[in-house]
Amino acid sequence: MSRDRIQIAGAEVAVVGGSIAGCATALAAHRAGAGRVTLYERTTGRLADRGVGLAVHNARYAELAAAGYMDAAMPWVQLTTRRWYVREGSAPLGRQVGVLPFPFRSYCWGPLWQELRRRLPEDTSFRPGVRVAAVSDAEDGATLRLDGGEGGESVVGGEGGEGSGERQHAGAGRRTERFDLVIGADGYRSVVRDTAFPGVRPGYAGYLAWRGAVPADRLTELGFPGLPADPWAEEDCVYGVFPGGHVIIYRIPDGRGGRRANWVLYTAPPAGLDLGLDTPTSLPPGTLTDALYAHFTHVTDESLPPYWGGLMRLTPRQEVFIQPMYDFTAPRYTAGRLLLAGDAATVARPHTGAGAVKALQDAAALEAALHAVQERPDALAAYGAERGETGRTMVELGRRLGRFLVQDTPDWHTLSQAGVEAAWAAADGSGAFGGRELKS
């Protein structure tokens, strides 16, 4: 059968990448009538244990809930208010320079991923620890070359959730498997994108995001005289701003009925340190060098109000990790039998408040396109056009917010409430913060 006349009904589909974008697009393929769907995830660790946070705009949540990709069963915290603080002498919280609405729901990455994975049908094949080394696309099918791993297969879905009904299959080494359609949900270093659009690479933005989280019950250890044990409201999102960067702090569920304080610090790395960041990379927990951690402690000690800096340092060094800031968007979201979703298609800086939203919207838009036109290429062309426009908007928003919040920061100490409002309105521009509306 020609690649231009692929029937979605009953098609064999591979999803490269088993995180939030991968699970969501696998669900979309199932709902649109695909046959067996196989997910390949190169990591072997428990994704459900990832404890960092993300936020979803209330309006985007409502759209995704209506589309069947989110609901109240996923643990969350309602945020309402964003408070901006600058360092002011020894004042523990600093000085508040502005307050803006923040209508977002916060989530913990691991529990959100686990809920998505539970929704996959029972015959979904989830293969952890299997790396897709290469992809090829031809008239009669797309082929994956698999490298390493045990070849283990977890059959997931249904009420049992993660780990239910697992079947382990022997067979390691290098092998190939063929599919009717391959979805690349394998992040900003996507092997599927490399095949579809050789040479397209994310560009390094020149600064980093340090990330961590702290159990909420540990915040009492900070013990600043004159402050209550818990001096900030659960519904608050804190922006601690300084020349050349800022930190965002908000509470997230821990997946066990408690709370964690999630934080993300954006600033440039120390001068003269060669981290090799022109090639897309990351520094996972446990890999921070002495120089990088010294820079982190310097920023938290000298640039932020004492309480917020102290909160961040409660995260053990071995749990802090770094995400260099990259951005790009692929020329198209589809090429032959290959399709891109999530960060494989578009990487926008996290300032946009829409990373997970973008991935879930990709899945919802794919399902809608496949229901509307049951065979390629028309359905995927429609998907690519709609999501490509959104991706370009979010990349540009991320760049504008990066300039405002990190690369060309205002003199925060001189700004009043009106000044913060005006500066934010100028940086947001399109009003796309939190993600664009999902088109029906």
Side-chain angles (χ1 to χ4, degrees):
M1 183 180 292
S2 165
R3 77 170 87 185
D4 292 332
R5 304 293 293 176
I6 299 171
Q7 293 286 343
I8 296 302
E12 294 284 315
V13 177
V15 180
V16 183
S19 62
I20 286 175
C23 288
T25 50
L27 186 58
H30 272 294
R31 289 176 173 175
R36 185 168 174 82
V37 176
T38 304
L39 290 89
Y40 298 92
E41 170 54 44
R42 65 182 179 180
T43 64
T44 56
R46 279 178 49 85
L47 296 179
D49 292 337
R50 291 187 181 178
V52 295
L54 57 93
V56 176
H57 193 284
N58 288 355
R60 305 290 79 79
Y61 165 80
E63 295 164 355
L64 290 167
Y69 289 88
M70 298 192 80
D71 62 37
M74 301 171 176
W76 57 285
V77 175
Q78 181 64 64
L79 306 174
T80 64
T81 307
R82 178 168 32 167
R83 300 186 184 276
W84 303 66
Y85 292 93
V86 296
R87 186 180 178 96
E88 186 89 342
S90 59
L93 300 181
R95 176 169 61 88
Q96 182 174 287
V97 295
V99 181
L100 294 176
F102 197 74
F104 281 74
R105 301 160 68 105
S106 71
Y107 294 85
C108 186
W109 195 101
L112 177 59
W113 170 83
Q114 193 168 28
E115 287 293 332
L116 283 169
R117 183 172 168 180
R118 283 176 176 155
R119 290 158 199 258
L120 296 175
E122 292 183 358
D123 63 350
T124 302
S125 174
F126 191 100
R127 300 187 184 178
V130 179
R131 185 175 73 91
V132 176
V135 182
S136 61
D137 181 27
E139 286 289 333
D140 60 347
T143 300
L144 305 185
R145 180 165 63 81
L146 310 177
D147 193 9
E150 296 298 322
E153 177 181 345
S154 298
V155 178
V156 300
E159 296 302 319
E162 183 182 16
S164 106
E166 291 200 354
R167 300 198 303 263
Q168 294 300 323
H169 297 274
R174 195 165 290 182
R175 61 200 183 280
T176 61
E177 296 184 7
R178 178 162 294 191
F179 296 88
D180 297 313
L181 182 69
V182 172
I183 300 174
D186 47 341
Y188 64 97
R189 292 177 288 186
S190 170
V191 66
V192 181
R193 188 188 64 248
D194 281 348
T195 301
F197 305 107
V200 174
R201 297 286 188 278
Y204 175 50
Y207 59 97
L208 312 175
W210 279 259
R211 300 198 66 168
V214 182
D217 57 10
R218 290 200 59 199
L219 299 183
T220 57
E221 298 175 21
L222 294 173
F224 285 91
L227 277 186
D230 192 1
W232 56 300
E234 179 168 280
E235 63 269 20
D236 283 355
C237 174
V238 171
Y239 271 49
V241 291
F242 57 90
H246 69 294
V247 67
I248 301 174
I249 304 172
Y250 56 87
R251 287 181 176 85
I252 61 174
D254 65 5
R256 298 179 296 274
R259 298 286 187 261
R260 292 167 66 87
N262 179 76
W263 58 264
V264 188
L265 171 70
Y266 299 94
T267 193
L273 191 63
D274 183 9
L275 299 175
L277 300 178
D278 288 338
T279 299
T281 188
S282 62
L283 284 79
T287 64
L288 263 66
T289 64
D290 290 342
L292 283 171
Y293 193 71
H295 187 64
F296 168 74
T297 56
H298 172 78
V299 171
T300 55
D301 284 344
E302 302 298 329
S303 298
L304 292 167
Y307 181 88
W308 309 119
L311 179 155
M312 296 160 64
R313 289 194 304 278
L314 289 175
T315 303
R317 173 176 172 170
Q318 65 271 20
E319 295 179 12
V320 176
F321 66 99
I322 288 179
Q323 293 177 309
M325 291 294 96
Y326 299 98
D327 49 27
F328 87 104
T329 188
R332 299 187 308 280
Y333 276 40
T334 61
R337 293 175 180 267
L338 309 181
L339 179 150
L340 302 177
D343 285 351
T346 297
V347 171
R349 302 180 205 178
H351 311 300
T352 61
V357 163
K358 180 170 60 66
L360 294 171
Q361 285 184 335
D362 284 351
L366 175 61
E367 181 188 353
L370 294 177
H371 277 306
V373 183
Q374 283 294 303
E375 62 182 41
R376 297 191 47 215
D378 295 337
L380 297 190
Y383 160 78
E386 194 276 322
R387 298 312 297 159
E389 179 185 357
T390 294
R392 288 186 291 273
T393 297
M394 300 315 295
V395 168
E396 180 51 39
L397 173 61
R399 289 170 178 165
R400 287 198 308 272
L401 293 177
R403 288 191 291 269
F404 166 53
L405 291 166
V406 181
Q407 296 165 305
D408 188 20
T409 51
D411 184 351
W412 294 107
H413 282 83
T414 67
L415 293 187
S416 62
Q417 172 69 28
V420 171
E421 291 175 357
W424 177 260
D428 186 9
S430 63
F433 179 65
R436 288 183 54 168
E437 179 180 358
L438 177 62
K439 296 182 179 178
S440 58

